[in-house]
Amino acid sequence: MSKLTNFSMKNVAAIFIMMLLLVVGGTYMTTTLKVESFPDITFPVVIVSTTYTAPPQDVLENVTKPLEKAIAGIDGLKTLSSGSQDNYSQIVLQLAQSKKPEDVKKEVEGLIANVRLPQGVEKPRVLTAGFASEPVYYLAVYGAPGTKQADLDAAYKQTILPGFNGLTGIDHVDSVGNQEAVLTLKLDAAALNTHGLLPTDVSNQIKASLMSSPAGTVELNGNTQMVRVKGEIEKIDQLNQLKILTKTGERLPLKQLANIEAVSESKFIARLDDEPAVGVLLYKTKAANAVEFADSADELMEDWATTLPQVKFHKVYNSANDIKDSIHGMIQEGGLGAILASLMILLFLRNVRMTIIVLVSIPLSILVTLLVMGPLGISLNIMTLGGMAIAVGRVVDDSIVVIENIYSQLQKAQERNESVIRLATAQVSNAITSSTITTVGVFGPIAFVSGVVGEVFRPFAITLVVALLSSLLVALTVIPMLAKLMVLKSKRLKTHDEQHVSGMGQLYKRTIVWSLNHRMKTLLIAGLILILSIGLTIPNLAVAFMPNSEAVKQGAIHIKMPRETSIQKMNEKSIELVKTLKAQVDSKGKPSFNYIETLVGYNESNDPYPFRTMMYFELSDATNGPEAIKTYKTDMLKLLPEGSTVNIELFTGGPPTSTGADFSYALKGDDPQALQQASQLVKDALKPFSEVSDIKDSWSDAKTEVEITVDGEKASSKGLTTAHILQTVHTWISDDKLGDLKLDNITYETKLMVDAKFKDSVEEIGNFMIPTPTGSSVQVKDVATVKQIAAPNIINREDQAQVVSVTAKINSTDKGGVSKKIEEALTTLQLPAGVSKEVKGVSDDINRSFMQMFIAIIASVGIVYIVMVIAFGNARAPLAILFSLPLAAIGGLVGLLITGESINVTSLIGFLMLIGIVVTNAIVLVDRVQQLREQGHSIREALIEAGVTRLRPIIMTAGATIIALLPLGLGLSKGTIISKGLAVVVIGGLTTSTLLTLVIVPIMYELLFKKRQRKEAQVVVESV
């Protein structure tokens, strides 16, 4: 290490150039780093989705099961789950953490390529899932007063939607409520039957008449020209008069067989308060920068404000604002921490130049960290910025120890020259190197922590490690060089009186002497404090997976009415609900809701759900969100019919749990009725718990299905097969899309269908005509039985067995405690025969993640010990240092109790950090003891002398770290919640360990080296 110091002292210009390059490089890298809320968590998950027009049971049997069978044997598969619903199958493969989703995706694509699926099944899509695939911008587009709905729809379709789709980094856009010009040709079933026609006969003749296509080329007057053939239908009236040929050769105008309606319609209905609107949800790609993406969208909307004055934009929720607030909060807390640390250092050194020298380590270490983050693909997010904010207090530690020793040695020196600075740096270089490497080594086990915890905290650990290693390099090179330039020739540097001991030093000297004379008493007191702190705090501390995220004022309401509800009825009810909510007032007497955006029929997918509605809202500042939503939910349920559900959630920032629910109870079995009965029993058992809300299960509402059972004997007597009957029924009930038609200068999305009144009952379906090979026709009811049956809306399976999940939200900081209480209550529940159970959710995450963190903490202690053994060259001195670790737990636990923080993954990371930080002070102390003993001092003399001389740097380094973390621990800025528990643990632990380390470590050192002390005394006696 002395070579680095010598190089920097000799090559001042080169060091300044390097510093300049680091500043420029780090600053530039800051502008190129991706900015997001959390690290892009790529879950080890692969999803297979398939579209097949069929009811859930058929989707399960014909699509889901064959695909499950093909991929069930994939290496590294932890859980295989699936959902089969109307027209859709989804299979989710949860993989071992070591597996790369992209590699498994290719393997899955290869396996399913050989699976034979029914005709009409779309090619299965294989996707990977990640935290960054959420919608990042919620908008409402509405018209200015006097704007027609048609003009708003036209502007949206022609300008706004293409503009959003052209954004850099856009994945897709969900549009809710935009109306399209639709031309529907509603066939008269009675007229078709009279003339012996099927819907396909009419459809094929219309398509043939509308066909427009090139026919080839001809030579005209020596020029080659294209020939194009097209139909003459350009008006709706012409379409009405289009002749349709019947089986008897009669030519009928289309209007005798169908009613043509030109309307504007939408799958969904959207409103902003009482105004018609278009709901827009923007999804970005995983690689896109969330802040830049949102800024680009804002720029587009600013341009449209000028070019489309009749269109207005309301920003419902922009996740980039949360990211900006979080980043601003972290930078603010880090900056404030740096200022407080500066004042702390100035207070002890009482020398402005020395303080400036020390502070150089902060920007240099941070800029080096930013420079490294770019090539590693690490983004600027809450976790990496939290790592840097926490590093602010720690990166000055090495520089403080170096500059303090240089300061002391220069005061003592008879002749002040560069050799004094080199000697002073060399005296502490081993101590700061081993202490920094020890702290860095603590984060090694984080690499082996799996799941969400590993993904979230790995960038945090890397950031902190790079900052600490940078600070060590700065302390050994830049600090001595700046001391040479700024302090060496300073006339203000007073000569140090060797005999002078400060008041604080004298107090400590008396304390350490008494403690060494009363070792057992001191250890007993420390042990008693440790036992009491554990006994009094742990039972009273809440347990959670992650700290409670800050709830913002925005949120969403999910409303579900009985399945038979029409979209018109749902729309009427939503208007009534919005009116009720808008009448609510806050504590100041003003409306509780700033706005409410209603999306009728929308359920976060492109498929309409007439019985569902989503509402996005923003509460006023004076409204207590968590309390208010409980009241609003009760009020809304009173206005809804029996069987309806309302779930209200406030948007929060934070990494997700593995199941997405606080509490999840999985029930498995083969009997659907038993599973349904079991899920109801579990839901009823959860209702008495006041801390639990939003209780729901994955067992969908029962729905009715029309089942046509073909009588084989009757069908064959008419020359029909089941396949023939299936195909004919399909033509009667399905919509036939004719494409886009431009009629009367309006482009319509055109579709042909049998009028709904001819297929709205079992009787009508039974009257459908089926042509036979003999030329006659029979009705469906003549060859088959038509009836309605009860059927599930979705069939969920896990590991190829049917499963139902009961989930709930836990409204408590002690999520682990509440979850445990629920589990105990459910153990007495008698489930139907054949149904097994499994608890998941936050308790599952806590158990798995806490176990990994405890193993990481134990491994870190081992790493710390090995590093110290190598540094000190013996095993006893590091053992004495390890006794400082239990003392840190005292302050950490008391800190959590006082601040009301829970024991969670974040606070456990704080305890992990403490292992590295706490031993730093003990290393600085013991290293000096070792040096003094080598100079011939006795063990006790060395302990007292080292304690007094190292008191100031130890108090300074610990104080700087504590003061720098104080703003983060108070959590005053938005977005710092994730780091608050961590900071509290470090502040509390470092406070108690610093005070006790100065006493306990010397006692343990003396006890461990007691035999050697006796031998030394014996040698002295014999020499005398």
Side-chain angles (χ1 to χ4, degrees):
M1 294 298 173
S2 58
K3 289 181 181 178
L4 286 172
T5 306
N6 292 334
F7 175 82
S8 67
M9 299 282 281
K10 288 178 183 177
N11 301 278
V12 175
I15 293 295
F16 270 108
I17 291 169
M18 288 180 191
M19 287 168 64
L20 183 63
L21 288 173
L22 286 175
V23 170
V24 173
T27 305
Y28 170 73
M29 191 58 70
T30 307
T31 63
T32 63
L33 288 174
K34 182 180 171 185
V35 181
E36 56 190 353
S37 182
F38 272 87
D40 182 9
I41 303 169
T42 301
F43 293 118
V45 164
V46 171
I47 300 167
V48 182
S49 61
T50 314
T51 302
Y52 174 47
T53 306
Q57 192 64 43
D58 290 335
V59 171
L60 173 66
E61 296 296 334
N62 299 328
V63 178
T64 306
K65 283 186 176 180
L67 291 176
E68 281 182 342
K69 190 175 179 181
I71 58 183
I74 279 183
D75 184 45
L77 180 64
K78 285 176 68 180
T79 306
L80 180 68
S81 57
S82 67
S84 304
Q85 55 186 308
D86 282 339
N87 311 326
Y88 187 69
S89 163
Q90 178 173 284
I91 302 171
V92 179
L93 296 84
Q94 189 174 347
L95 309 166
Q97 193 66 31
S98 57
K99 303 298 286 186
K100 293 183 178 178
E102 288 298 330
D103 294 341
V104 176
K105 177 185 173 184
K106 292 174 185 175
E107 188 180 350
V108 169
E109 285 172 337
L111 289 170
I112 65 175
N114 301 319
V115 177
R116 294 189 64 180
L117 297 172
Q119 190 176 358
V121 175
E122 291 186 12
K123 184 182 177 182
R125 291 192 305 145
V126 185
L127 312 162
T128 56
F131 188 38
S133 59
E134 297 289 321
V136 294
Y137 214 147
Y138 300 74
L139 300 160
V141 181
Y142 62 103
T147 303
K148 294 179 181 178
Q149 181 66 41
D151 294 335
L152 176 65
D153 292 330
Y156 182 77
K157 185 178 181 180
Q158 295 166 15
T159 306
I160 297 168
L161 184 58
F164 284 142
N165 279 322
L167 283 171
T168 302
I170 190 75
D171 183 77
H172 68 279
V173 181
D174 272 0
S175 304
V176 184
N178 54 310
Q179 296 190 352
E180 298 280 350
V182 178
L183 193 71
T184 56
L185 285 69
K186 297 182 177 180
L187 294 168
D188 185 323
L192 292 179
N193 290 337
T194 301
H195 296 287
L197 293 171
L198 289 175
T200 47
D201 297 329
V202 180
S203 174
N204 291 337
Q205 291 189 53
I206 294 173
K207 288 175 183 176
S209 300
L210 294 172
M211 183 171 283
S212 174
S213 177
T217 59
V218 294
E219 291 280 341
L220 291 178
N221 301 322
N223 294 323
T224 303
Q225 296 184 19
M226 290 290 298
V227 177
R228 184 177 187 84
V229 178
K230 68 168 190 170
E232 64 172 354
I233 300 174
E234 294 179 348
K235 296 181 179 179
I236 292 177
D237 187 54
Q238 290 175 330
L239 185 62
N240 263 318
Q241 298 301 326
L242 180 68
K243 302 301 182 188
I244 303 296
L245 186 64
T246 67
K247 302 288 185 184
T248 60
E250 189 180 358
R251 298 175 74 246
L252 298 172
L254 180 59
K255 65 181 181 180
Q256 287 189 17
L257 301 172
N259 181 33
I260 299 176
E261 295 179 1
V263 296
S264 289
E265 67 175 36
S266 171
K267 292 188 288 186
F268 312 103
I269 300 169
R271 285 188 307 277
L272 180 65
D273 293 329
D274 301 321
E275 295 294 322
V278 178
V280 183
L281 290 86
L282 303 180
Y283 290 74
K284 74 174 186 68
T285 59
K286 291 172 70 174
N289 184 318
V291 173
E292 289 180 4
F293 176 81
D295 288 345
S296 300
D298 286 338
E299 287 173 15
L300 270 180
M301 286 183 275
E302 285 174 15
D303 291 340
W304 289 330
T306 306
T307 58
L308 298 171
Q310 77 278 20
V311 177
K312 303 296 178 185
F313 297 90
H314 180 83
K315 297 168 186 178
V316 176
Y317 179 68
N318 181 1
S319 64
N321 290 338
D322 288 345
I323 296 170
K324 288 175 183 176
D325 288 342
S326 299
I327 289 171
H328 179 263
M330 281 295 182
I331 292 170
Q332 184 174 296
E333 305 296 25
L336 186 57
I339 293 167
L340 292 173
S342 310
L343 295 173
M344 176 80 181
I345 296 161
L346 183 61
L347 183 67
F348 273 86
L349 293 178
R350 296 181 185 178
N351 187 304
V352 175
R353 289 189 181 187
M354 296 287 235
T355 304
I356 292 169
I357 291 170
V358 169
L359 294 180
V360 166
S361 60
I362 296 176
L364 279 180
S365 301
I366 298 300
L367 287 167
V368 170
T369 305
L370 291 167
L371 202 56
V372 172
M373 284 168 65
L376 291 178
I378 298 172
S379 64
L380 273 178
N381 54 65
I382 291 174
M383 299 312 301
T384 50
L385 284 167
M388 282 186 268
I390 287 163
V392 164
R394 181 60 186 80
V395 293
V396 294
D397 284 7
D398 294 342
S399 298
I400 287 173
V401 174
V402 171
I403 202 71
E404 199 279 336
N405 206 44
I406 290 172
Y407 185 70
S408 298
Q409 294 302 324
L410 285 173
Q411 283 184 318
K412 295 174 186 176
Q414 298 296 322
E415 186 180 343
R416 292 172 181 170
N417 52 40
E418 290 183 24
S419 62
V420 178
I421 295 176
R422 287 193 179 93
L423 173 66
T425 306
Q427 283 179 340
V428 294
S429 63
N430 284 341
I432 63 171
T433 301
S434 57
S435 66
T436 301
I437 290 172
T438 299
T439 309
V440 165
V442 158
F443 290 100
I446 289 280
F448 303 101
V449 174
S450 62
V452 175
V453 178
E455 293 286 346
V456 169
F457 284 99
R458 208 164 287 124
F460 169 87
I462 292 169
T463 307
L464 205 49
V465 163
V466 174
L468 293 176
L469 290 175
S470 305
S471 74
L472 174 63
L473 195 61
V474 169
L476 294 172
T477 54
V478 177
I479 300 302
M481 181 269 290
L482 291 176
K484 170 188 170 182
L485 297 177
M486 298 175 68
V487 180
L488 187 60
K489 304 299 182 183
S490 175
K491 293 178 182 178
R492 294 185 179 181
L493 203 63
K494 298 176 182 178
T495 304
H496 178 67
D497 181 1
E498 292 283 349
Q499 304 301 317
H500 176 72
V501 179
S502 67
M504 186 169 63
Q506 289 174 350
L507 176 64
Y508 171 67
K509 190 172 183 178
R510 288 196 297 271
T511 305
I512 189 66
V513 169
W514 185 91
S515 299
L516 290 170
N517 288 331
H518 302 85
R519 291 180 304 215
M520 290 303 120
K521 282 184 183 178
T522 309
L523 290 176
L524 193 64
I525 293 168
L528 193 62
I529 293 171
L530 177 62
I531 292 166
L532 283 173
S533 65
I534 293 172
L536 294 175
T537 57
I538 289 181
N540 297 306
L541 285 174
V543 179
F545 174 55
M546 284 282 181
N548 270 354
S549 299
E550 297 156 286
V552 294
K553 292 296 182 181
Q554 291 115 327
I557 304 172
H558 299 258
I559 302 165
K560 186 175 79 169
M561 286 173 60
R563 287 190 64 86
E564 61 271 13
T565 306
S566 66
I567 196 161
Q568 290 78 17
K569 183 69 177 175
M570 185 79 249
N571 185 40
E572 290 170 11
K573 188 56 70 174
S574 68
I575 292 171
E576 183 184 353
L577 291 171
V578 169
K579 189 177 179 181
T580 303
L581 291 174
K582 293 289 282 184
Q584 302 286 344
V585 292
D586 60 24
S587 57
K588 294 182 178 178
K590 294 182 178 179
S592 293
F593 289 86
N594 294 337
Y595 65 79
I596 300 175
E597 182 192 27
T598 308
L599 307 178
V600 181
Y602 184 67
N603 190 39
E604 299 176 300
S605 78
N606 282 322
D607 296 319
Y609 288 81
F611 57 95
R612 287 183 179 271
T613 289
M614 282 193 72
M615 294 179 181
Y616 293 106
F617 63 84
E618 183 180 71
L619 297 171
S620 65
D621 292 335
T623 302
N624 183 328
E627 290 299 320
I629 61 175
K630 291 179 185 177
T631 306
Y632 301 154
K633 179 178 177 177
T634 306
D635 292 345
M636 291 173 79
L637 283 171
K638 290 176 183 176
L639 297 172
L640 293 169
E642 192 176 344
S644 302
T645 60
V646 174
N647 288 316
I648 308 177
E649 60 177 347
L650 292 173
F651 293 148
T652 57
T657 63
S658 60
T659 62
D662 290 340
F663 180 81
S664 182
Y665 204 73
L667 301 163
K668 289 184 181 180
D670 297 322
D671 183 354
Q673 286 187 335
L675 283 173
Q676 191 171 13
Q677 186 184 347
S679 68
Q680 190 60 50
L681 286 171
V682 174
K683 286 195 291 185
D684 291 341
L686 290 176
K687 286 176 183 176
F689 292 93
S690 58
E691 307 94 334
V692 170
S693 64
D694 296 348
I695 303 167
K696 53 190 175 183
D697 62 28
S698 59
W699 186 271
S700 59
D701 298 331
K703 64 166 190 171
T704 54
E705 217 171 74
V706 176
E707 184 179 76
I708 300 175
T709 308
V710 176
D711 185 321
E713 209 171 302
K714 288 182 180 178
S716 62
S717 69
K718 301 292 184 181
L720 298 174
T721 63
T722 302
H724 188 179
I725 295 169
L726 168 65
Q727 184 62 38
T728 307
V729 170
H730 176 74
T731 65
W732 280 103
I733 64 175
S734 64
D735 293 354
D736 193 355
K737 294 179 180 176
L738 303 179
D740 288 344
L741 282 184
K742 191 170 184 179
L743 302 170
D744 300 317
N745 292 319
I746 299 173
T747 302
Y748 293 98
E749 180 189 331
T750 312
K751 51 189 177 181
L752 179 141
M753 68 198 75
V754 173
D755 197 318
K757 67 184 179 183
F758 294 106
K759 52 182 180 180
D760 62 358
S761 68
V762 170
E763 289 73 23
E764 292 290 352
I765 293 170
N767 292 333
F768 289 158
M769 300 300 293
I770 303 173
T772 66
T774 60
S776 62
S777 294
V778 296
Q779 291 182 316
V780 169
K781 63 185 178 184
D782 295 335
V783 291
T785 304
V786 185
K787 61 180 179 181
Q788 279 185 301
I789 60 168
N793 184 42
I794 182 169
I795 303 170
N796 292 308
R797 282 158 57 91
E798 193 170 292
D799 296 329
Q800 302 184 68
Q802 196 164 337
V803 65
V804 173
S805 295
V806 179
T807 59
K809 183 179 179 182
I810 298 174
N811 304 308
S812 168
T813 53
D814 189 11
K815 294 185 189 295
V818 174
S819 185
K820 190 176 180 181
K821 192 165 63 171
I822 295 170
E823 284 177 49
E824 289 172 357
L826 292 177
T827 53
T828 59
L829 203 63
Q830 290 293 321
L831 296 176
V835 176
S836 61
K837 62 191 177 185
E838 184 183 357
V839 180
K840 292 188 176 182
V842 75
S843 60
D844 188 42
D845 289 319
I846 288 171
N847 293 338
R848 185 174 58 254
S849 300
F850 276 32
M851 181 56 68
Q852 290 180 343
M853 287 305 303
F854 286 133
I855 292 170
I857 288 170
I858 293 166
S860 297
V861 173
I863 290 170
V864 165
Y865 186 63
I866 291 167
V867 171
M868 290 192 296
V869 168
I870 294 168
F872 285 104
N874 66 71
R876 291 187 187 183
L879 196 59
I881 292 170
L882 286 185
F883 278 92
S884 62
L885 295 179
L887 308 175
I890 299 171
L893 292 170
V894 171
L896 290 175
L897 186 67
I898 291 170
T899 57
E901 288 290 309
S902 62
I903 295 178
N904 53 61
V905 173
T906 304
S907 53
L908 287 180
I909 293 281
F911 283 109
L912 187 69
M913 276 188 69
L914 271 180
I915 295 168
I917 295 174
V918 165
V919 296
T920 301
N921 294 333
I923 288 171
V924 170
L925 176 64
V926 172
D927 180 68
R928 184 57 182 159
V929 173
Q930 298 281 88
Q931 289 177 6
L932 290 170
R933 287 188 59 209
E934 286 170 7
Q935 294 170 17
H937 289 74
S938 68
I939 290 176
R940 182 160 289 198
E941 286 175 353
L943 287 169
I944 296 169
E945 174 64 22
V948 173
T949 55
R950 288 285 182 260
L951 178 64
R952 188 163 72 159
I954 286 173
I955 296 294
M956 282 172 65
T957 54
T961 304
I962 290 166
I963 292 292
L965 287 175
L966 206 55
L968 210 57
L970 292 171
L972 301 176
S973 295
K974 189 178 178 183
T976 58
I977 193 81
I978 197 75
S979 300
K980 184 180 177 183
L982 189 153
V984 165
V985 169
V986 174
I987 290 169
L990 194 53
T991 302
T992 55
S993 69
T994 300
L995 297 174
L996 294 171
T997 294
L998 290 165
V999 176
I1000 301 301
V1001 171
I1003 291 174
M1004 294 311 303
Y1005 187 95
E1006 191 172 70
L1007 287 172
L1008 289 168
F1009 285 88
K1010 201 173 184 181
K1011 289 184 180 179
R1012 188 173 294 184
Q1013 189 176 21
R1014 286 173 183 165
K1015 287 181 182 178
E1016 288 174 1
Q1018 186 65 34
V1019 170
V1020 172
V1021 171
E1022 288 174 359
S1023 64
V1024 172

